[in-house]
Amino acid sequence: MASSDTVEVRGHLLDSGVLSRCATDVRSLGGDYVIERLDVGKDSGDESYARIRVQAEDDAALASILMRLNAYGVNLTEPGEAATRVTETDGVFPADFYSTTNLDTQVRLDGHWVDVQQPEMDCGLVVVRGLEPASVRTVPVSDVRAGDEIVCGAAGVRVTRPAVADRDAETFEFMNSQVSSEKPQALLVRQIADEMRQTKAAGKRILWVGGPAVVHTGAAPAMVALVENGYVDVLFGGNAIATHDIESSMYGTSLGVDLLRGNGVEHGHEHHIRAINAVRRCGSIAAAVEQGVVTSGVMHALVTHGRQFVLVGSVRDDGPLPDVYTDVIAGQRAMRAQLPDVGFAIMVATMLHSVATGNILPASVPLVCVDINPATVTKLADRGSSQARGIVTDIGLFLEQLADELVPQRPRSHRSA
Amino acid sequence: MASSDTVEVRGHLLDSGVLSRCATDVRSLGGDYVIERLDVGKDSGDESYARIRVQAEDDAALASILMRLNAYGVNLTEPGEAATRVTETDGVFPADFYSTTNLDTQVRLDGHWVDVQQPEMDCGLVVVRGLEPASVRTVPVSDVRAGDEIVCGAAGVRVTRPAVADRDAETFEFMNSQVSSEKPQALLVRQIADEMRQTKAAGKRILWVGGPAVVHTGAAPAMVALVENGYVDVLFGGNAIATHDIESSMYGTSLGVDLLRGNGVEHGHEHHIRAINAVRRCGSIAAAVEQGVVTSGVMHALVTHGRQFVLVGSVRDDGPLPDVYTDVIAGQRAMRAQLPDVGFAIMVATMLHSVATGNILPASVPLVCVDINPATVTKLADRGSSQARGIVTDIGLFLEQLADELVPQRPRSHRSA
Amino acid sequence: MASSDTVEVRGHLLDSGVLSRCATDVRSLGGDYVIERLDVGKDSGDESYARIRVQAEDDAALASILMRLNAYGVNLTEPGEAATRVTETDGVFPADFYSTTNLDTQVRLDGHWVDVQQPEMDCGLVVVRGLEPASVRTVPVSDVRAGDEIVCGAAGVRVTRPAVADRDAETFEFMNSQVSSEKPQALLVRQIADEMRQTKAAGKRILWVGGPAVVHTGAAPAMVALVENGYVDVLFGGNAIATHDIESSMYGTSLGVDLLRGNGVEHGHEHHIRAINAVRRCGSIAAAVEQGVVTSGVMHALVTHGRQFVLVGSVRDDGPLPDVYTDVIAGQRAMRAQLPDVGFAIMVATMLHSVATGNILPASVPLVCVDINPATVTKLADRGSSQARGIVTDIGLFLEQLADELVPQRPRSHRSA
Amino acid sequence: MASSDTVEVRGHLLDSGVLSRCATDVRSLGGDYVIERLDVGKDSGDESYARIRVQAEDDAALASILMRLNAYGVNLTEPGEAATRVTETDGVFPADFYSTTNLDTQVRLDGHWVDVQQPEMDCGLVVVRGLEPASVRTVPVSDVRAGDEIVCGAAGVRVTRPAVADRDAETFEFMNSQVSSEKPQALLVRQIADEMRQTKAAGKRILWVGGPAVVHTGAAPAMVALVENGYVDVLFGGNAIATHDIESSMYGTSLGVDLLRGNGVEHGHEHHIRAINAVRRCGSIAAAVEQGVVTSGVMHALVTHGRQFVLVGSVRDDGPLPDVYTDVIAGQRAMRAQLPDVGFAIMVATMLHSVATGNILPASVPLVCVDINPATVTKLADRGSSQARGIVTDIGLFLEQLADELVPQRPRSHRSA
């Protein structure tokens, strides 16, 4: 690390996470850092102060890092003078132009700090020397003209972090959304597959929590492949996932055709209540499998491969199936009894049973929540399952790709549709 | 078709779509039908009347169909007497039990119509004969007891469609949501692949409209494979998709690593404005490709394979890239100029440019809109692109699977992450 | 009605709802109509044909109506020749210009039908006479030039409805979204208030179904005012609404301050489990009210005013409160027992208990579902409660305004915050 | 502050925000604190350590605080022995029971730390002494039995914060959602009204950014009242808000009736393109007001009260209105020219123009974003406008209540509907 410089920052550092973000950025840009000094205000309202030494491979890399830190209000302890360069072409900045934030900013020119007029993010800084003293204003790249004098690099630029003024008046929170559907999902699938393999290798059990969308999105064959290959030790769910799975198995011709043709599952059809009635006649799902009433699907696979399931009912249930706990406290007890040796938990497409499982799961069990609705993922974390990691994606495609990763050799007949 | 019977229905048939739903259900249950009579009220407030002959293979199939139609208020013209059967087991109905709706219902017993008490959906009908005259009430499957007398089949059951009372007071609409993420997505991907192949076979062009999530979700490699194999003739988009694609190409080491590691694209980084500045220096995206400034990604593939793109700016743009139309009316003209010979249009992950394209696209061009946000799909249809078909799914996984379908032989290096 | 003309339309009229939309539009534009003829295809695949006589006050009003119907593919039986007018100003159409759809369109010029090139919605039609025969193309208002010959009125214009080609291939549905937050909500509040007053005047009961957001959004005082004034006869809910309401009452100093200051209800605090424990010690909510443990809030108001409530638990519950049915089937029975004499049902901010209530409610009971999440409203209708009307709005402001309507004189102390 | 004790915590304190959360909780429970020592790891991977002295009014208040801090892994430096109490009633804990987290927990009994079995949140801790040594396990309140020995208070309880294991593997983020619709909205309205009054009192201007939902939700009269009373100095928007506002003014009879009756604004009607055409004929919105073509609505109020507006077009626009900037870069310049002296900015129901305004607004201008869609609020903050505060609520009711606060005397004719 041949190049280094020292930066400093003041403010409510503990609350703001700014130190953490600096650390992440320095490393991601190939540099390193040492916190040389950190003074924490003793009282709750006091500001803190940090001084950090930043290192990089060469001056160019260091300049990149310093400009990035600058954006958080982390300034050079010895800022020096601003360097400028004259633009050669209309609408184009010099390559190493200083890219602005929307925070209050000052530029050091001829030994004086000059306030930047009208701070605006993602602009350059143009120095206007016509009058004395020189002034500095933001200019968007579309409006820069050949001959403009543009600030380059982070030297001589100082950014002020906004003070968090009056605590009691702060009735809204700053937002910091981190549940997003804009992630490389194919990669996430691979990571989950890896975690599942490691869980099995460590002799631990994998817990699934699932909703009926597993069936509706056509992912039952993928799920069956996962059961058959040992990646589902226990399934928590409600009356709906089991009912729709069994309905799909029993009314294969018609509903199967619907699923195959993509016509979707019509609501209000009476098939589900007839399926429930038939299983009630058998006495249990296992008995229905034994008597040949249920011959395929996720529940069939769980029964025939000796996997566990706990179905807990809700007030909106029809029926329910005979295996469903209608007393929710008894259901919670049955779920708790399945937790020992669980080493990985995955929740797909169900808010009610995901939150219920989150309620009883130790924080030490890794937990992934997959849902097309960001609200489900958020709610889980809001309620205390802080270890929850969320993936906002399509359940059908997700399970299909997960089965491709974990059971690559599965026959076509085990693929969806 | 050995068995048949005649049903009738009254009400606002034209508004309600009930005839269409009947037709669909009869066919999906393996039957057929003939509309024997249809009287339409001449004036706007009048009720209509339809009489329909329904046919099925045997009596059991016919009974299924008749029970289903019954749920829409379509009743037998000659209902006869209700058939009943005594329950043998607690909590289990006879197999052919009549499954209720929540509409007003009557049962014919001993020559009289008896009102069903407290209509409730997905229940059975129990006949209580203790007092004279007999009464009928709904019973959920959990509460039926051995010895209960349960109505079976559709004979002797009459359901009344709710009148749509006062037109002017009808200030809310009945809801009929048909955008859902609960569809078998793997199948939909296959159908779109088929349509694309047919479009190419017919010598027509495929139009894509894309947003930056194509890049953020890690799907650029899949998109590149589609471009290289001829499935993208022209791309409409804004400044963002091209900027993020080029930024990802130029800052490959760091940002590429981020994408590979799944750390996502950090917001507020200045990379995008530096990428824009660099391309502005070259003068155009094509020039940046030629000069080796842009060496990979979707825009690179479009340029090197001679495909068209039209980028139209918006008020939230930084820069923009030199190819971007900053005048939106000029941009609309450039988009219109690309429409001839377009035989299929697909819109992924962008509301602004999807609606803009919908505005200028003839209704005769098949149109698929893919977005994780149902609102985008809905908005498109609401604004008049009634041919739009919506898929609510994850863009990253969707494009990955579409590329798997259309370019099955693509090398690993063309796969995401 | 001095002016009239005759139109006709062919296609899958029963499925498409086109006749219904025509009727609505004719009336909303001040006209009237008579269906003169309606031929329905006997077989399922056959097209239908309708001939309709349309009347209006004068020729201008009639022209408006005819242009509107034209957009649905409903054309004049005797179209005549197209009328055109020459534009006087760049970028401005003649006032009565024909506004296009994106459907295939033809214009009658000199006795021949001429296809419109590149159909696009919301454009004008310009007649180009240079070559023989004349051609017609769409032109957006921004691109029309002085001297252009523009089609005006509906005469001589024919629009073709798209055929719904291959039924079996129709795997996506046409979308027809009708749940929207873009409605005049202040008006809807007034209508619900009216319906509630009428329900009470008719001696019927009002059923509420509520979730904890009633408390979180600060609407408990509004809800209390509604209880005290007789607009809440029975409340269905779960453990959460009652727990948060009671927690808010018991930990008034701290939590009340939080609510007043807008800091929201922090999750993960143990107050709720302490509140539950305290009520369990009393034995019931009514006992907790009697013993002075619970002294305010919605549950307190229900108890002191002798209103009914049914709380049914779910698998995600902590505790629960002693009044909560832990057996969901027993809970359903308790809910059913409250349905007689219910004349109006309103569901606010809860999906689980709303769907559960929808399951057991007769279709004859008017039902309004209020939620900030459109999915809740949609789900309710999807599951069979077709009478459900949805309002997508903010619960806190909604209840505040509803209380303003129904209890205008309520003291400030009964207002939120 | 008569009672005090000392706590300590280890871990990635800077990243986690745990110190900030402790500070907030201590104060909200009426206590105070001093950070006695804070050691920060010099290198990026090092753990930090903090020792904090906590004070409260009495021992009971101190115990409350200590139990709360304990939940974050902040433990007593001298924990002492756990205190226990025997339960008197089935299903009820002692009042001061220790309420658990789901983190790894230990209890000090007879001088030894005993691991809690199966950590689960919101439970009590029961000590089982039958065997030697004693064991401790979690028990939910529903399952506690009279005679059970339950841990009370925070003494002798130690909670371990989870280590954030492998930085590079940390590909998902912990979620921390803070945009919620579950807030007391009536209070937020009042706070915004206060800020607006203060802005005006300070001689600053109020900037509004608005989308067409302002009109669709029936809030135009409320908005007009705000304009007339000086609370709107400048409005940024697009073609849509102005078009729908003017359309609503021009086609008052029919569309006005629709709005009044709540039938909503039908899409695909050609009224909007006719309204645009009429204003284009006048040459500008101001000219249309002058010539009596536009006689009411938001745009009319802005013109007649001499307020500013900047309308910037987008690629999806029809028309557009003559005042709309079709060049987006020119539009950005016009928006920037309005920023001086803006002291408060409010964005309602538009994502495109809100993000565009956020792009050019200094961070020092307070900014509130109001939308029924949480995604709009989130997106704004994600793109760098970190000062943005979000309110997820209904626009129509929000503007109605804001006008009630700021213009309480406004006549009924200025109220919606």
Side-chain angles (χ1 to χ4, degrees), chain C residues 368-407:
Chain C
V368 171
C369 177
V370 188
D371 206 301
I372 203 162
N373 181 0
T376 303
V377 178
T378 301
K379 191 128 192 168
L380 195 65
D382 277 355
R383 290 180 65 105
S385 298
S386 59
Q387 86 269 37
R389 292 165 297 165
I391 305 182
V392 176
T393 192
D394 182 276
I395 293 304
L397 297 185
F398 173 84
L399 289 174
E400 191 76 11
Q401 289 231 337
L402 185 63
D404 277 353
E405 285 292 329
L406 287 170
V407 195

Side-chain angles (χ1 to χ4, degrees), chain A residues 68 91 93 97 122 182-185 187 190 216-217 260 262 269-270 274 277 280-281 318 393-394 417, chain B residues 68 91 93 97 122 182-185 187 190 216-217 260 262 269 274 277 280-281 318-319 393-394 417:
Chain A
R68 179 73 58 86
F93 287 133
F97 76 101
D122 294 324
E182 299 193 351
K183 286 288 167 57
Q185 309 290 11
L187 172 61
R190 229 157 294 161
H216 297 163
T217 57
L260 280 179
H269 284 184
E270 83 291 356
R274 296 201 184 280
N277 195 45
R280 286 176 76 97
R281 176 171 294 116
D318 288 315
T393 192
D394 182 278
Chain B
R68 178 73 59 87
F93 286 134
F97 75 101
D122 295 324
E182 300 195 349
K183 287 288 167 58
Q185 308 290 9
L187 172 63
R190 229 156 293 161
H216 295 162
T217 57
L260 279 178
H269 285 184
R274 296 199 184 282
N277 194 45
R280 286 176 76 96
R281 175 169 297 115
D318 289 315
T393 191
D394 182 277

Side-chain angles (χ1 to χ4, degrees), chain B residues 89-175:
Chain B
T89 321
D90 278 4
V92 181
F93 286 134
D96 60 344
F97 75 101
Y98 176 88
S99 176
T100 58
T101 69
N102 57 4
L103 303 173
D104 287 339
T105 304
Q106 293 175 300
V107 176
R108 187 140 185 115
L109 296 171
D110 307 323
H112 296 93
W113 285 109
V114 179
D115 286 343
V116 170
Q117 294 160 29
Q118 207 160 319
E120 175 179 335
M121 65 175 89
D122 295 324
C123 288
L125 292 174
V126 64
V127 180
V128 184
R129 303 239 186 217
L131 303 168
E132 275 306 315
S135 68
V136 183
R137 59 178 178 77
T138 52
V139 60
V141 66
S142 55
D143 290 3
V144 70
R145 291 292 160 263
D148 281 353
E149 183 182 349
I150 300 294
V151 175
C152 292
V157 182
R158 190 162 75 183
V159 170
T160 309
R161 291 185 56 71
V164 180
D166 176 6
R167 273 263 151 196
D168 281 331
E170 198 192 333
T171 54
F172 313 84
E173 289 100 2
F174 286 80
M175 286 154 298

Side-chain angles (χ1 to χ4, degrees), chain C residues 25 28-29 64 67-68 72 90-99 121-123 141-143 181-191 212-213 216-218 254 258-274 276-277 280-281 318-320 372 392-394 396-398 400-401 404-405 412 416-417, chain D residues 25 28-29 64 67-68 72 90-99 121-123 141-143 181-191 212-213 216-218 254 258-274 276-277 280-281 318-320 372 392-394 396-398 400-401 404-405 412 416-417:
Chain C
D25 278 6
S28 84
L29 292 169
S64 277
M67 280 195 279
R68 180 73 59 86
Y72 302 130
D90 279 6
V92 182
F93 287 133
D96 59 344
F97 75 100
Y98 176 88
S99 176
M121 65 176 89
D122 294 325
C123 287
V141 67
S142 56
D143 290 3
S181 57
E182 299 193 351
K183 287 286 166 59
Q185 309 289 12
L187 173 62
L188 298 182
V189 170
R190 230 156 291 160
Q191 292 180 333
H216 295 162
T217 58
S254 65
D258 280 358
L259 266 185
L260 281 178
R261 292 202 184 154
N263 285 328
V265 178
E266 281 307 307
H267 304 276
H269 284 184
E270 83 291 357
H271 276 157
H272 75 281
I273 190 75
R274 295 198 185 283
I276 289 168
N277 195 45
R280 287 175 76 97
R281 175 170 296 117
D318 288 315
I372 203 162
V392 176
T393 192
D394 182 276
L397 297 185
F398 173 84
E400 191 76 11
Q401 289 231 337
D404 277 353
E405 285 292 329
R412 270 283 144 187
S416 300
Chain D
D25 277 7
S28 84
L29 292 169
S64 277
M67 280 195 279
R68 180 73 59 87
Y72 302 130
D90 279 4
V92 182
F93 286 133
D96 60 345
F97 76 101
Y98 176 87
S99 176
M121 66 176 89
D122 294 324
C123 287
V141 67
S142 55
D143 289 3
S181 58
E182 298 194 352
K183 286 289 166 57
Q185 308 290 10
L187 173 62
L188 298 182
V189 170
R190 230 156 291 162
Q191 293 179 334
H216 295 164
T217 57
S254 63
D258 280 359
L259 266 184
L260 279 178
R261 292 205 183 150
N263 285 329
V265 179
E266 281 307 307
H267 304 275
H269 284 184
E270 83 292 356
H271 276 158
H272 75 282
I273 191 74
R274 297 200 182 281
I276 289 168
N277 195 45
R280 286 175 75 97
R281 176 169 297 117
D318 289 314
I372 204 162
V392 176
T393 191
D394 182 277
L397 297 185
F398 173 84
E400 191 77 9
Q401 289 230 337
D404 278 353
E405 284 292 327
R412 271 282 143 188
S416 299

Side-chain angles (χ1 to χ4, degrees), chain D residues 205-247:
Chain D
R205 301 165 77 220
I206 299 176
L207 164 65
W208 286 74
V209 186
V214 169
V215 179
H216 295 164
T217 57
M223 191 77 192
V224 166
L226 293 169
V227 172
E228 291 175 349
N229 287 273
Y231 293 102
V232 182
D233 290 291
V234 55
L235 173 71
F236 290 175
N239 189 51
I241 181 173
T243 296
H244 288 295
D245 176 62
I246 289 171
E247 174 190 7

